[in-house]
Amino acid sequence: MAKATNIPIDVKWLQITATDADWKKIGKPECIKMLTHLHIIRAFEETLSGLNNNGLIHGPLHLSIGHDGAVVGAMSELGTDDLVNGSHRGHHVFLAKALNHVHEQNVESSAGKFSPAVKDTVYRTMAEIMGLQPGYSGGRGGSMHLRWKEAGVIGTNAIVGGGVPTAAGAAWSQQRDSKGKVVLTAFGDGSCHIGNVLETFNLAALYDLPLCFYIENNGYAVSTTVAEQARETRMSARGIGFGIPSFKVDGMDPISVRMAMQKVNELLRNGQGPAVLEVDVYRFYHHSGGVKGSAFGYREKEEEQEWIARDPLRFMEAKMINLGWLSQEDCDAMGAEAAELTANAAARLTVTSNGTRTIREELWPDPNTCDDSLRSNLEELEHLDYVEQEHFTGTLAPTKFIAAIAKNMVRRFDTDERLFVLGEDVHKLIGGTNGATKGIPERWPDRCVPTPIAEHGFVGLAGGVAVTGKYRPVVELMYPDFGLVAADQLFNQIAKARHMFGGTINMPLVLRTKVAIGTGYGSQHSMDPAGLFSMWPGWRIVAPSNPFDYVGLMNSALLCEDPVLVIESVELYNKVMPAAVDNDDYFIALGTAKVVREGAKFTVLTYLNMVGRAMDVCEEHGIDAEIIDLRSLDRAGLDWDTIGASIEKTNHVIVLEQGCVTNSYGGLVVEEVQKRYFDHLDHPVRRIHGGEASPVVSKPLERAAFVGAEEILTGFEQAIADQG
């Protein structure tokens, strides 16, 4: 019979419970401050519930009653410079952190004297949740997207678990600053089964990040019990498998939570992070709205009553009365004053006429601002002097495309200490899988961050770094198809952040990836990402066709406050073309196309490796076409001055791309061309594109799926035939 030996676990997993000595050590003033914050949050939620019953809250309302005591305990151990984010149920997280930021210290009693800063915090938070202009994001974020940079709240998140990788990026920035500051990310038991959360556990442990995974285990993901979600119902057990010290605590006891957070802080501030803090709490109402869960049949009334009897607010009051610090009258007065505070905020936002309560009309955002803040206005680039290759005064020499990429990145790292690169294998293989990071890991090993195969996690981490604003990530996505693994972070988070938070946030991030069509890597490694990314207006997209343009556009992208996708081509990597030798410090403007070949018969709009292919076909067959290298592909970046001038000359347009039609970029361009220049078109806009299916591995089938010289020639000949 085989011998079995227990494997030791070399990581802490502790249950924390406060004692009377802990209460006394914290002291009366600090406990009164915590109780005051808890009363404000409770009254705030109850006021919101009433507004919701009057139809004045648009969208879901995830109340935090029952979760509020635990978060007050945790936040009492954080300072303004510590950062937090949260999930869709985030009012309590936001308010607890915000009140710590603004509230008077060492409050002996509430005495009905809330500061103007506290009143303004409550008012603006309520306005944001109601979708009104005075809110912190101008009403854009609402209940689920609450952000206040000055208070250290980097944003709550409507995607379950979606903000966890962002918090890891913020923690990476905090760690690099070496100032002993920490990050807390709050999420629920339902998030613990989502891949990006587990990926982030691993990344945070791998990089020793000062990050607290604050798990609110309330027993239900909407109506699904924890036991129906997982065999192991103690969510803090997730940390053990990643080597993360973990703590479990009764979340209905705010002081126990505070004591556990002290232990977490000790680890994090001393460079021994991350840590997991699981708090057992209970939401007193259904997932959304102010109705009890038992009304929907998934909880018993007896269960609800048992938990409500353990209300953390009443628990704190009873304990402080028992210690002789407060009387019941004091506690009642605090509750009444908090209720008055939140009622006054609601009164400032609403008006009652003939018994009907409505939103004050003047507080609604202007509908004309609907599309504002989708992207930067590029004022950060206004100081740059732009130059095209034909006007460049430096030395040009034949250079491999990939060598120019690597050389320029080394130069950029030399001139901008904010930059760092991360991705799979970027630190080895003599510059990563294609050589683009050559020279960086040797000189800046701390700025060349290798990652596990965890695109969801490390892309989100990069987004979190960008959110904090101090460092600028350059993410290498080995193949664009892998972006579908990280789709939530790329499109729900990074692309939407600026607009969602009312323009209060920048997202300076560059994402490099390559089109590998024709290399035999098959359906899941051969995607052209232009069509997908162009659907999300937060992204800027550049696709340089030569090394000179690549360097100029990359230099601009690295200074842009928007996320920029830089598309490269495997076909171009080893091509030798003119590139700068002694000066990589030039810029090419984002949003500019270029006529690379003049002609009269028709206009070709194309990008990346198809530029050279189209020029070769025209030269070989004597075709009089005007070819425009689009260079910037996002909708806002299309250069309609250059495109329009050509169309007005030729009156005939071809949109040329290499990849398949089913996720193509060309449809966007065709629609815009026909809408803008219909009166100048003598013929329908033609498209040259690949087949319906993605390329597969078999060489003849792969070749049949994408566009080469033969398909370009056929398309050009058809355009000539259009003209008789």
Side-chain angles (χ1 to χ4, degrees):
M1 183 174 179
K3 180 181 178 181
T5 305
N6 285 329
I7 299 174
I9 299 175
D10 297 325
V11 61
K12 290 181 179 179
W13 188 18
L14 302 174
Q15 176 90 30
I16 305 298
T17 304
T19 66
D20 286 351
D22 294 318
W23 282 80
K24 292 174 182 177
K25 185 176 180 180
I26 293 169
K28 175 182 175 182
E30 186 65 16
C31 287
I32 288 179
K33 177 185 148 186
M34 289 175 59
L35 182 59
T36 301
H37 289 184
L38 182 48
H39 268 295
I40 292 173
I41 296 169
R42 180 65 60 86
F44 183 89
E45 295 290 71
E46 290 172 345
T47 300
L48 281 182
S49 182
L51 292 170
N52 188 52
N53 291 339
N54 289 331
L56 300 180
I57 304 292
H58 187 56
L61 182 68
H62 303 103
L63 297 173
S64 63
I65 298 174
H67 291 213
D68 40 13
V71 85
V72 165
M75 295 299 169
S76 67
E77 284 292 311
L78 300 183
T80 290
D81 291 337
D82 297 316
L83 305 178
V84 306
N85 73 353
S87 192
H88 55 283
R89 193 178 314 282
H91 306 164
H92 60 318
V93 175
F94 180 87
L95 278 172
K97 187 66 163 68
L99 289 170
N100 264 353
H101 171 61
V102 302
H103 199 229
E104 298 88 353
Q105 301 297 304
N106 300 317
V107 180
E108 287 290 342
S109 67
S110 58
K113 295 181 180 178
F114 293 117
S115 71
V118 170
K119 294 176 182 177
D120 188 62
T121 298
V122 170
Y123 170 72
R124 293 189 65 191
T125 307
M126 193 174 291
E128 183 61 41
I129 291 169
M130 295 172 72
L132 304 179
Q133 183 60 44
Y136 286 99
S137 298
R140 291 269 183 87
S143 173
M144 296 184 287
H145 309 105
L146 297 167
R147 169 180 166 82
W148 187 14
K149 178 182 178 181
E150 290 74 15
V153 184
I154 58 176
T156 59
N157 203 290
I159 302 298
V160 175
V164 177
T166 303
W172 192 93
S173 295
Q174 298 280 62
Q175 180 191 63
R176 192 163 182 84
D177 283 345
S178 300
K179 294 179 180 177
K181 303 302 179 183
V182 307
V183 179
L184 180 147
T185 181
F187 53 95
D189 48 274
S191 299
C192 292
H193 312 114
I194 289 176
N196 70 339
V197 172
L198 300 176
E199 287 184 22
T200 306
F201 273 29
N202 187 51
L203 289 172
L206 183 64
Y207 303 146
D208 302 321
L209 297 182
L211 176 60
C212 173
F213 295 99
Y214 178 84
I215 304 172
E216 297 178 311
N217 188 344
N218 68 22
Y220 294 88
V222 186
S223 63
T224 303
T225 66
V226 173
E228 292 172 314
Q229 300 174 57
R231 175 182 288 185
E232 174 54 78
T233 60
R234 299 165 297 180
M235 297 298 104
S236 48
R238 302 328 184 241
I240 307 304
F242 294 98
I244 301 175
S246 300
F247 302 90
K248 186 173 175 61
V249 65
D250 178 5
M252 310 307 270
D253 176 352
I255 300 301
S256 287
V257 177
R258 177 170 174 142
M259 300 312 298
M261 192 66 205
Q262 282 184 9
K263 294 185 179 297
V264 168
N265 265 340
E266 183 178 352
L267 293 171
L268 269 51
R269 298 193 196 280
N270 291 323
Q272 298 172 2
V276 170
L277 175 54
E278 177 189 7
V279 297
D280 290 324
V281 294
Y282 196 78
R283 54 173 162 82
F284 287 6
Y285 295 97
H286 178 53
H287 174 68
S288 179
V291 179
K292 296 288 178 63
S294 55
F296 296 87
Y298 66 88
R299 296 199 311 206
E300 298 295 330
K301 291 182 179 180
E302 292 75 15
E303 175 189 299
E304 291 175 337
Q305 289 306 313
E306 288 174 6
W307 279 95
I308 290 171
R310 300 184 59 233
D311 185 337
L313 190 150
R314 303 307 167 202
F315 174 83
M316 275 204 82
E317 287 185 336
K319 190 70 175 181
M320 293 174 74
I321 291 170
N322 185 55
L323 288 168
W325 290 350
L326 292 175
S327 67
Q328 186 61 57
E329 291 74 19
D330 293 328
C331 296
D332 293 343
M334 291 173 72
E337 289 156 5
E340 182 181 8
L341 171 71
T342 58
N344 287 342
R348 293 174 62 189
L349 299 167
T350 59
V351 61
T352 301
S353 178
N354 297 323
T356 301
R357 197 175 193 183
T358 58
I359 303 290
R360 293 183 183 272
E361 287 294 327
E362 67 274 16
L363 299 182
W364 289 114
D366 182 352
N368 293 321
T369 66
C370 174
D371 290 337
D372 288 1
S373 304
L374 276 170
R375 60 191 70 85
S376 163
N377 60 12
L378 296 184
E379 63 182 0
E380 65 271 23
L381 306 182
E382 288 178 352
H383 67 286
L384 301 179
D385 293 323
Y386 299 116
V387 61
E388 296 290 348
Q389 184 173 327
E390 58 269 25
H391 303 300
F392 184 66
T393 57
T395 303
L396 299 173
T399 306
K400 272 189 180 181
F401 202 129
I402 192 64
I405 293 174
K407 175 172 171 281
N408 183 57
M409 286 307 297
V410 169
R411 175 59 180 162
R412 300 282 65 82
F413 270 54
D414 251 336
T415 59
D416 191 344
E417 63 182 12
R418 301 173 300 171
L419 297 177
F420 73 101
V421 64
L422 76 162
E424 295 154 0
D425 296 304
V426 293
H427 64 316
K428 291 186 177 178
L429 306 176
I430 315 178
T433 53
N434 291 101
T437 55
K438 184 178 181 180
I440 292 176
E442 297 82 2
R443 291 183 59 187
W444 301 281
D446 62 323
R447 295 165 62 189
C448 187
V449 183
T451 68
I453 300 173
E455 285 84 3
H456 207 160
F458 73 71
V459 167
L461 184 149
V465 173
V467 163
T468 61
K470 188 165 184 180
Y471 302 101
R472 304 178 84 93
V474 181
V475 184
E476 182 171 308
L477 201 59
M478 194 179 293
Y479 291 92
D481 311 66
F482 301 171
L484 296 174
V485 178
D488 173 52
Q489 296 300 316
L490 290 170
F491 306 125
N492 265 330
Q493 311 297 342
I494 292 170
K496 294 178 179 178
R498 178 190 288 274
H499 183 260
M500 184 168 68
F501 290 116
T504 65
I505 195 171
N506 291 328
M507 188 59 73
L509 178 153
V510 168
L511 177 70
R512 291 182 46 249
T513 194
K514 66 197 179 202
V515 177
I517 293 174
T519 61
Y521 269 72
S523 293
Q524 295 172 335
H525 288 67
S526 303
M527 180 182 183
D528 177 346
L532 177 64
F533 277 76
S534 65
M535 296 170 62
W536 309 94
W539 279 97
R540 295 186 184 273
I541 308 169
V542 296
S545 64
N546 61 80
F548 184 90
D549 285 2
Y550 184 98
V551 170
L553 289 167
M554 174 60 86
N555 290 348
S556 296
L558 290 171
L559 294 180
C560 183
E561 297 293 353
D562 288 328
V564 183
L565 171 68
V566 179
I567 309 177
E568 302 164 10
S569 167
V570 171
E571 180 183 326
L572 295 176
Y573 276 156
N574 290 316
K575 286 191 176 293
V576 176
M577 303 182 217
V581 174
D582 53 2
N583 177 13
D584 287 324
D585 298 335
Y586 63 91
F587 301 88
I588 292 175
L590 303 180
T592 57
K594 186 174 184 180
V595 177
V596 295
R597 185 181 192 275
E598 294 191 356
K601 289 293 186 182
F602 53 85
T603 297
V604 180
L605 305 179
T606 190
Y607 60 95
L608 212 61
N609 55 322
M610 290 292 96
V611 174
R613 289 276 186 95
M615 293 177 69
D616 290 345
V617 168
C618 287
E619 294 301 322
E620 183 177 350
H621 297 278
I623 296 173
D624 186 19
E626 182 147 296
I627 299 174
I628 294 179
D629 183 351
L630 292 173
R631 300 197 299 194
S632 284
L633 306 184
D634 53 281
R635 185 183 292 273
L638 285 167
D639 181 358
W640 292 110
D641 290 338
T642 299
I643 295 169
S646 180
I647 293 173
E648 291 173 12
K649 178 172 70 172
T650 66
N651 309 116
H652 197 176
V653 180
I654 294 177
V655 177
L656 166 63
E657 56 190 326
Q658 186 176 28
C660 59
V661 67
T662 43
N663 62 0
S664 74
Y665 170 71
L668 179 155
V669 181
V670 169
E671 179 194 18
E672 287 289 332
V673 166
Q674 294 188 149
K675 182 172 64 177
R676 291 168 182 261
Y677 299 103
F678 183 81
D679 290 341
H680 294 278
L681 294 173
D682 293 338
H683 310 277
V685 178
R686 282 195 172 272
R687 292 181 63 187
I688 303 174
H689 52 70
E692 184 175 355
S694 301
V696 293
V697 173
S698 175
K699 196 167 186 178
L701 293 178
E702 179 189 45
R703 177 60 191 87
F706 67 80
V707 171
E710 297 85 351
E711 290 80 9
I712 294 173
L713 177 59
T714 299
F716 286 2
E717 288 175 339
Q718 290 172 343
I720 293 170
D722 287 342
Q723 301 174 35

